[in-house]
Structures are given as C-alpha cells and as structure tokens.
Short mmCIF file of all heavy atoms in Angstrom, two decimals:
data_model
loop_
_atom_site.label_atom_id
_atom_site.label_comp_id
_atom_site.label_asym_id
_atom_site.label_seq_id
_atom_site.Cartn_x
_atom_site.Cartn_y
_atom_site.Cartn_z
N MET A 1 24.07 13.19 185.20
CA MET A 1 24.43 14.20 186.20
C MET A 1 23.49 15.40 186.08
O MET A 1 23.35 15.98 185.01
CB MET A 1 25.88 14.62 185.95
CG MET A 1 26.44 15.59 186.98
SD MET A 1 26.94 14.72 188.47
CE MET A 1 27.61 16.08 189.41
N ILE A 2 22.83 15.73 187.19
CA ILE A 2 21.90 16.86 187.22
C ILE A 2 22.64 18.07 187.77
O ILE A 2 23.28 17.98 188.82
CB ILE A 2 20.70 16.54 188.12
CG1 ILE A 2 20.01 15.24 187.70
CG2 ILE A 2 19.70 17.71 188.11
CD1 ILE A 2 19.09 14.65 188.77
N LYS A 3 22.55 19.19 187.05
CA LYS A 3 23.22 20.42 187.50
C LYS A 3 22.31 21.62 187.30
O LYS A 3 21.47 21.63 186.42
CB LYS A 3 24.48 20.67 186.67
CG LYS A 3 25.61 19.70 186.92
CD LYS A 3 26.86 20.21 186.22
CE LYS A 3 27.67 19.06 185.66
NZ LYS A 3 28.71 19.50 184.73
N VAL A 4 22.53 22.64 188.12
CA VAL A 4 21.89 23.94 187.90
C VAL A 4 22.99 24.95 187.60
O VAL A 4 23.92 25.11 188.39
CB VAL A 4 21.08 24.40 189.13
CG1 VAL A 4 20.57 25.82 188.94
CG2 VAL A 4 19.92 23.46 189.39
N ASP A 5 22.89 25.59 186.45
CA ASP A 5 23.84 26.65 186.09
C ASP A 5 23.53 27.88 186.93
O ASP A 5 22.49 28.53 186.77
CB ASP A 5 23.71 26.97 184.60
CG ASP A 5 24.78 27.95 184.13
OD1 ASP A 5 25.08 28.91 184.88
OD2 ASP A 5 25.29 27.78 183.02
N GLN A 6 24.44 28.17 187.87
CA GLN A 6 24.21 29.26 188.82
C GLN A 6 24.19 30.63 188.15
O GLN A 6 23.63 31.59 188.68
CB GLN A 6 25.27 29.23 189.93
CG GLN A 6 25.26 27.93 190.74
CD GLN A 6 23.97 27.80 191.56
OE1 GLN A 6 23.64 28.67 192.36
NE2 GLN A 6 23.22 26.72 191.35
N GLU A 7 24.83 30.73 186.99
CA GLU A 7 24.81 32.00 186.25
C GLU A 7 23.44 32.25 185.64
O GLU A 7 22.97 33.39 185.58
CB GLU A 7 25.86 31.96 185.13
CG GLU A 7 27.28 31.75 185.59
CD GLU A 7 27.84 33.00 186.25
OE1 GLU A 7 27.66 34.08 185.69
OE2 GLU A 7 28.43 32.87 187.33
N LEU A 8 22.81 31.18 185.19
CA LEU A 8 21.54 31.32 184.47
C LEU A 8 20.33 31.37 185.39
O LEU A 8 19.34 32.04 185.10
CB LEU A 8 21.36 30.15 183.48
CG LEU A 8 22.31 30.13 182.28
CD1 LEU A 8 22.04 28.87 181.43
CD2 LEU A 8 22.12 31.37 181.42
N CYS A 9 20.36 30.62 186.50
CA CYS A 9 19.20 30.53 187.39
C CYS A 9 18.81 31.92 187.89
O CYS A 9 19.64 32.69 188.34
CB CYS A 9 19.52 29.62 188.58
SG CYS A 9 18.19 29.55 189.81
N ILE A 10 17.49 32.22 187.77
CA ILE A 10 16.98 33.50 188.25
C ILE A 10 16.19 33.33 189.55
O ILE A 10 15.50 34.24 190.00
CB ILE A 10 16.10 34.19 187.18
CG1 ILE A 10 14.97 33.26 186.72
CG2 ILE A 10 16.96 34.64 185.99
CD1 ILE A 10 13.91 33.94 185.84
N GLY A 11 16.25 32.11 190.12
CA GLY A 11 15.62 31.87 191.40
C GLY A 11 14.11 31.85 191.36
O GLY A 11 13.46 32.23 192.34
N CYS A 12 13.55 31.40 190.27
CA CYS A 12 12.08 31.45 190.12
C CYS A 12 11.36 30.46 191.04
O CYS A 12 10.19 30.64 191.33
CB CYS A 12 11.68 31.20 188.67
SG CYS A 12 11.83 29.48 188.18
N GLY A 13 12.07 29.42 191.49
CA GLY A 13 11.48 28.47 192.44
C GLY A 13 10.67 27.35 191.82
O GLY A 13 10.12 26.52 192.54
N THR A 14 10.63 27.28 190.51
CA THR A 14 9.83 26.25 189.85
C THR A 14 10.39 24.84 190.06
O THR A 14 9.63 23.91 190.32
CB THR A 14 9.73 26.53 188.33
OG1 THR A 14 9.12 27.81 188.15
CG2 THR A 14 8.90 25.46 187.62
N CYS A 15 11.71 24.70 189.98
CA CYS A 15 12.25 23.34 190.03
C CYS A 15 12.03 22.64 191.37
O CYS A 15 11.61 21.48 191.37
CB CYS A 15 13.68 23.26 189.54
SG CYS A 15 14.86 24.37 190.34
N PRO A 16 12.23 23.29 192.52
CA PRO A 16 11.90 22.58 193.76
C PRO A 16 10.40 22.35 193.93
O PRO A 16 10.00 21.39 194.59
CB PRO A 16 12.45 23.48 194.87
CG PRO A 16 12.66 24.81 194.24
CD PRO A 16 12.93 24.54 192.79
N ALA A 17 9.58 23.19 193.31
CA ALA A 17 8.13 22.97 193.37
C ALA A 17 7.76 21.70 192.61
O ALA A 17 6.91 20.93 193.04
CB ALA A 17 7.39 24.18 192.81
N ILE A 18 8.42 21.48 191.48
CA ILE A 18 8.13 20.31 190.64
C ILE A 18 8.82 19.06 191.17
O ILE A 18 8.25 17.98 191.19
CB ILE A 18 8.59 20.58 189.19
CG1 ILE A 18 7.67 21.62 188.54
CG2 ILE A 18 8.62 19.29 188.37
CD1 ILE A 18 8.08 22.02 187.14
N CYS A 19 10.04 19.21 191.63
CA CYS A 19 10.85 18.04 192.02
C CYS A 19 11.66 18.34 193.28
O CYS A 19 12.87 18.55 193.23
CB CYS A 19 11.75 17.67 190.85
SG CYS A 19 12.62 16.13 191.09
N PRO A 20 10.98 18.37 194.43
CA PRO A 20 11.67 18.73 195.69
C PRO A 20 12.70 17.70 196.14
O PRO A 20 13.55 18.01 196.97
CB PRO A 20 10.52 18.83 196.70
CG PRO A 20 9.40 18.03 196.13
CD PRO A 20 9.55 18.12 194.63
N GLY A 21 12.66 16.50 195.58
CA GLY A 21 13.65 15.50 195.95
C GLY A 21 15.03 15.79 195.38
O GLY A 21 16.03 15.29 195.87
N VAL A 22 15.06 16.59 194.34
CA VAL A 22 16.33 16.87 193.65
C VAL A 22 16.78 18.31 193.84
O VAL A 22 17.98 18.57 193.99
CB VAL A 22 16.21 16.56 192.14
CG1 VAL A 22 17.43 17.08 191.36
CG2 VAL A 22 16.04 15.06 191.91
N PHE A 23 15.82 19.25 193.84
CA PHE A 23 16.19 20.67 193.88
C PHE A 23 15.75 21.33 195.18
O PHE A 23 14.72 20.99 195.76
CB PHE A 23 15.55 21.41 192.70
CG PHE A 23 15.91 20.85 191.36
CD1 PHE A 23 15.04 19.99 190.69
CD2 PHE A 23 17.12 21.15 190.77
CE1 PHE A 23 15.37 19.45 189.46
CE2 PHE A 23 17.47 20.62 189.53
CZ PHE A 23 16.59 19.76 188.87
N LYS A 24 16.54 22.31 195.58
CA LYS A 24 16.25 23.07 196.79
C LYS A 24 16.75 24.49 196.52
O LYS A 24 17.75 24.69 195.85
CB LYS A 24 17.03 22.42 197.92
CG LYS A 24 17.05 23.14 199.24
CD LYS A 24 17.90 22.32 200.22
CE LYS A 24 18.00 22.96 201.58
NZ LYS A 24 18.57 24.29 201.60
N MET A 25 16.04 25.49 197.08
CA MET A 25 16.53 26.85 196.95
C MET A 25 17.61 27.09 198.00
O MET A 25 17.44 26.75 199.17
CB MET A 25 15.39 27.86 197.13
CG MET A 25 14.24 27.73 196.12
SD MET A 25 14.77 27.61 194.40
CE MET A 25 15.37 29.30 194.13
N ASP A 26 18.72 27.68 197.56
CA ASP A 26 19.80 28.01 198.49
C ASP A 26 19.45 29.31 199.21
O ASP A 26 19.19 30.33 198.57
CB ASP A 26 21.10 28.16 197.69
CG ASP A 26 22.30 28.39 198.61
OD1 ASP A 26 22.35 29.42 199.30
OD2 ASP A 26 23.19 27.52 198.60
N ASP A 27 19.43 29.26 200.53
CA ASP A 27 19.03 30.43 201.33
C ASP A 27 19.95 31.63 201.08
O ASP A 27 19.51 32.77 201.15
CB ASP A 27 19.05 30.09 202.82
CG ASP A 27 17.93 29.14 203.19
OD1 ASP A 27 16.93 29.08 202.44
OD2 ASP A 27 18.06 28.44 204.20
N GLU A 28 21.21 31.37 200.82
CA GLU A 28 22.15 32.48 200.67
C GLU A 28 22.13 33.11 199.29
O GLU A 28 22.15 34.33 199.15
CB GLU A 28 23.57 32.00 200.99
CG GLU A 28 23.74 31.82 202.48
CD GLU A 28 25.17 31.53 202.90
OE1 GLU A 28 26.08 31.63 202.08
OE2 GLU A 28 25.33 31.18 204.08
N THR A 29 22.07 32.27 198.26
CA THR A 29 22.13 32.82 196.89
C THR A 29 20.74 33.06 196.31
O THR A 29 20.59 33.81 195.35
CB THR A 29 22.88 31.86 195.94
OG1 THR A 29 22.11 30.65 195.84
CG2 THR A 29 24.26 31.54 196.46
N GLY A 30 19.71 32.41 196.87
CA GLY A 30 18.38 32.52 196.29
C GLY A 30 18.22 31.75 195.00
O GLY A 30 17.22 31.89 194.30
N LYS A 31 19.22 30.91 194.71
CA LYS A 31 19.17 30.11 193.49
C LYS A 31 19.02 28.64 193.84
O LYS A 31 19.24 28.23 194.98
CB LYS A 31 20.44 30.35 192.67
CG LYS A 31 20.56 31.81 192.26
CD LYS A 31 21.74 32.08 191.38
CE LYS A 31 21.74 33.56 191.01
NZ LYS A 31 22.60 33.83 189.85
N ALA A 32 18.65 27.86 192.83
CA ALA A 32 18.41 26.44 193.06
C ALA A 32 19.73 25.68 193.13
O ALA A 32 20.67 25.97 192.39
CB ALA A 32 17.55 25.87 191.95
N ILE A 33 19.76 24.69 194.02
CA ILE A 33 20.90 23.77 194.07
C ILE A 33 20.38 22.34 193.97
O ILE A 33 19.21 22.07 194.25
CB ILE A 33 21.73 23.95 195.37
CG1 ILE A 33 20.84 23.83 196.60
CG2 ILE A 33 22.47 25.28 195.36
CD1 ILE A 33 21.62 23.81 197.91
N VAL A 34 21.27 21.44 193.58
CA VAL A 34 20.94 20.03 193.43
C VAL A 34 21.30 19.30 194.71
O VAL A 34 22.43 19.40 195.20
CB VAL A 34 21.69 19.43 192.23
CG1 VAL A 34 21.45 17.92 192.13
CG2 VAL A 34 21.26 20.14 190.94
N ILE A 35 20.33 18.58 195.28
CA ILE A 35 20.58 17.87 196.54
C ILE A 35 20.58 16.35 196.36
O ILE A 35 20.87 15.62 197.29
CB ILE A 35 19.54 18.27 197.62
CG1 ILE A 35 18.12 18.08 197.12
CG2 ILE A 35 19.77 19.73 198.04
CD1 ILE A 35 17.05 18.25 198.21
N SER A 36 20.22 15.88 195.17
CA SER A 36 20.20 14.45 194.92
C SER A 36 20.26 14.19 193.42
O SER A 36 19.78 15.01 192.64
CB SER A 36 18.92 13.83 195.51
OG SER A 36 18.66 12.57 194.91
N GLN A 37 20.84 13.08 193.05
CA GLN A 37 20.88 12.68 191.63
C GLN A 37 19.89 11.54 191.37
O GLN A 37 19.95 10.88 190.34
CB GLN A 37 22.30 12.20 191.27
CG GLN A 37 23.39 13.23 191.44
CD GLN A 37 23.34 14.31 190.36
OE1 GLN A 37 22.91 14.07 189.24
NE2 GLN A 37 23.76 15.51 190.72
N ASP A 38 18.97 11.31 192.30
CA ASP A 38 18.20 10.08 192.28
C ASP A 38 16.91 10.11 191.47
O ASP A 38 16.21 9.09 191.41
CB ASP A 38 17.85 9.66 193.72
CG ASP A 38 19.08 9.20 194.49
OD1 ASP A 38 20.12 8.97 193.84
OD2 ASP A 38 18.99 9.09 195.73
N ASP A 39 16.55 11.24 190.88
CA ASP A 39 15.29 11.29 190.12
C ASP A 39 15.52 12.02 188.80
O ASP A 39 15.21 13.20 188.66
CB ASP A 39 14.21 11.99 190.96
CG ASP A 39 12.85 11.98 190.28
OD1 ASP A 39 12.73 11.45 189.15
OD2 ASP A 39 11.89 12.51 190.89
N ILE A 40 16.03 11.29 187.83
CA ILE A 40 16.34 11.87 186.52
C ILE A 40 15.05 12.31 185.82
O ILE A 40 15.00 13.38 185.19
CB ILE A 40 17.09 10.84 185.64
CG1 ILE A 40 18.44 10.46 186.28
CG2 ILE A 40 17.30 11.38 184.22
CD1 ILE A 40 19.47 11.56 186.27
N GLU A 41 14.00 11.51 185.95
CA GLU A 41 12.75 11.86 185.29
C GLU A 41 12.18 13.16 185.86
O GLU A 41 11.75 14.06 185.12
CB GLU A 41 11.74 10.72 185.45
CG GLU A 41 10.50 10.91 184.59
CD GLU A 41 9.48 9.79 184.77
OE1 GLU A 41 9.85 8.72 185.33
OE2 GLU A 41 8.33 9.98 184.36
N GLY A 42 12.18 13.27 187.19
CA GLY A 42 11.71 14.50 187.83
C GLY A 42 12.56 15.69 187.45
O GLY A 42 12.07 16.79 187.21
N ALA A 43 13.87 15.46 187.35
CA ALA A 43 14.78 16.54 186.97
C ALA A 43 14.51 16.98 185.54
O ALA A 43 14.56 18.18 185.23
CB ALA A 43 16.23 16.08 187.12
N ASN A 44 14.22 16.02 184.67
CA ASN A 44 13.88 16.37 183.29
C ASN A 44 12.59 17.19 183.22
O ASN A 44 12.49 18.13 182.43
CB ASN A 44 13.75 15.10 182.43
CG ASN A 44 15.09 14.65 181.90
OD1 ASN A 44 15.93 15.46 181.52
ND2 ASN A 44 15.30 13.34 181.87
N ASN A 45 11.62 16.82 184.04
CA ASN A 45 10.37 17.59 184.08
C ASN A 45 10.63 19.02 184.53
O ASN A 45 10.11 19.98 183.96
CB ASN A 45 9.35 16.93 185.03
CG ASN A 45 8.78 15.66 184.45
OD1 ASN A 45 8.80 15.46 183.24
ND2 ASN A 45 8.28 14.80 185.31
N ALA A 46 11.43 19.15 185.57
CA ALA A 46 11.77 20.49 186.07
C ALA A 46 12.54 21.27 185.02
O ALA A 46 12.29 22.46 184.80
CB ALA A 46 12.58 20.37 187.36
N ALA A 47 13.47 20.59 184.34
CA ALA A 47 14.27 21.26 183.31
C ALA A 47 13.38 21.81 182.21
O ALA A 47 13.61 22.92 181.70
CB ALA A 47 15.30 20.29 182.74
N ALA A 48 12.36 21.05 181.86
CA ALA A 48 11.45 21.49 180.78
C ALA A 48 10.65 22.71 181.20
O ALA A 48 10.17 23.47 180.34
CB ALA A 48 10.52 20.34 180.40
N SER A 49 10.49 22.91 182.50
CA SER A 49 9.69 24.04 183.00
C SER A 49 10.53 25.23 183.44
O SER A 49 9.98 26.28 183.78
CB SER A 49 8.83 23.58 184.18
OG SER A 49 7.92 22.59 183.75
N CYS A 50 11.84 25.08 183.46
CA CYS A 50 12.69 26.21 183.86
C CYS A 50 12.64 27.31 182.79
O CYS A 50 12.90 27.03 181.62
CB CYS A 50 14.12 25.74 184.06
SG CYS A 50 15.24 27.10 184.45
N PRO A 51 12.31 28.53 183.18
CA PRO A 51 12.14 29.60 182.18
C PRO A 51 13.44 30.04 181.51
O PRO A 51 13.40 30.68 180.47
CB PRO A 51 11.53 30.75 182.99
CG PRO A 51 11.95 30.49 184.40
CD PRO A 51 12.02 28.99 184.55
N VAL A 52 14.57 29.70 182.13
CA VAL A 52 15.85 30.15 181.55
C VAL A 52 16.78 28.98 181.19
O VAL A 52 17.97 29.16 180.95
CB VAL A 52 16.57 31.13 182.50
CG1 VAL A 52 15.79 32.43 182.62
CG2 VAL A 52 16.81 30.52 183.87
N GLN A 53 16.22 27.76 181.14
CA GLN A 53 17.01 26.56 180.78
C GLN A 53 18.30 26.46 181.59
O GLN A 53 19.38 26.17 181.04
CB GLN A 53 17.36 26.58 179.27
CG GLN A 53 16.21 26.14 178.37
CD GLN A 53 15.29 27.31 178.03
OE1 GLN A 53 15.75 28.35 177.60
NE2 GLN A 53 13.99 27.14 178.26
N ALA A 54 18.17 26.66 182.90
CA ALA A 54 19.36 26.61 183.75
C ALA A 54 19.66 25.19 184.23
O ALA A 54 20.72 24.95 184.81
CB ALA A 54 19.17 27.52 184.96
N ILE A 55 18.73 24.25 184.02
CA ILE A 55 18.93 22.89 184.52
C ILE A 55 19.50 22.01 183.42
O ILE A 55 18.95 21.95 182.32
CB ILE A 55 17.60 22.32 185.03
CG1 ILE A 55 17.06 23.17 186.18
CG2 ILE A 55 17.80 20.86 185.47
CD1 ILE A 55 15.63 22.83 186.57
N ILE A 56 20.60 21.37 183.75
CA ILE A 56 21.28 20.50 182.79
C ILE A 56 21.16 19.08 183.32
O ILE A 56 21.54 18.79 184.46
CB ILE A 56 22.76 20.89 182.66
CG1 ILE A 56 22.88 22.34 182.25
CG2 ILE A 56 23.48 19.98 181.66
CD1 ILE A 56 23.80 23.13 183.13
N VAL A 57 20.63 18.19 182.52
CA VAL A 57 20.59 16.77 182.85
C VAL A 57 21.37 16.04 181.76
O VAL A 57 20.95 16.00 180.61
CB VAL A 57 19.14 16.24 182.91
CG1 VAL A 57 19.14 14.77 183.36
CG2 VAL A 57 18.28 17.09 183.86
N ALA A 58 22.53 15.55 182.14
CA ALA A 58 23.39 14.92 181.12
C ALA A 58 23.92 13.59 181.62
O ALA A 58 23.95 13.36 182.81
CB ALA A 58 24.55 15.84 180.77
FE1 F3S B 1 16.32 28.49 188.81
FE2 F3S B 1 15.17 27.43 186.75
FE3 F3S B 1 14.94 26.31 189.09
S1 F3S B 1 15.37 29.59 187.18
S2 F3S B 1 14.96 28.02 190.49
S3 F3S B 1 16.81 26.55 187.93
S4 F3S B 1 13.37 26.38 187.53
#
C-alpha cells in the first residue's frame, strides 16, 4: 500500500516528477496524493527522494 503522510508532505513536487503514474499534486492542498497502487518500484524510488520521508510503501 502506497501512502503519502499529509502531515509530513511539504509539497516539494519530487514524487510526481519521479513517478507520475502513482503521485499527483493536489490542487487544493498543494500536497502529493496517491492515484494508483500499480508501481511499487516507482513509488519506492520516489520515497527514497522525498526530503521529509512522507511516502510510505508498505
Ligand atoms: Fe511531498 Fe515528499 Fe512528494 S514532500 S510532494 S511526498 S516527494
């Protein structure tokens, strides 16, 4: 299960840049949301690049 912790995300935009199939910036909150669970590897790559470790892949 791929999740973005909304408390931790600072809206840096890195995760949708790395893995647009899974992450998208929410227009209202300015934070990342998960739109698909279909790319665990891409999500792991994005998680490794998130500056605040807001992405959880479990
Ligand atoms: Fe937020 Fe981290 Fe993505 S700060 S926008 S979850 S890379």
Side-chain angles (χ1 to χ4, degrees):
M1 185 80 177
I2 305 163
K3 290 190 216 167
V4 173
D5 186 320
Q6 299 293 304
E7 300 287 314
L8 291 177
C9 175
I10 55 170
C12 75
T14 301
C15 54
I18 290 176
C19 188
V22 170
F23 303 99
K24 172 181 180 301
M25 300 312 290
D26 185 296
D27 290 338
E28 285 188 9
T29 65
K31 299 184 179 197
I33 54 173
V34 175
I35 54 170
S36 160
Q37 299 287 331
D38 291 347
D39 185 359
I40 297 291
E41 190 181 345
N44 275 321
N45 288 338
S49 297
C50 176
V52 293
Q53 282 86 51
I55 299 169
I56 303 128
V57 184

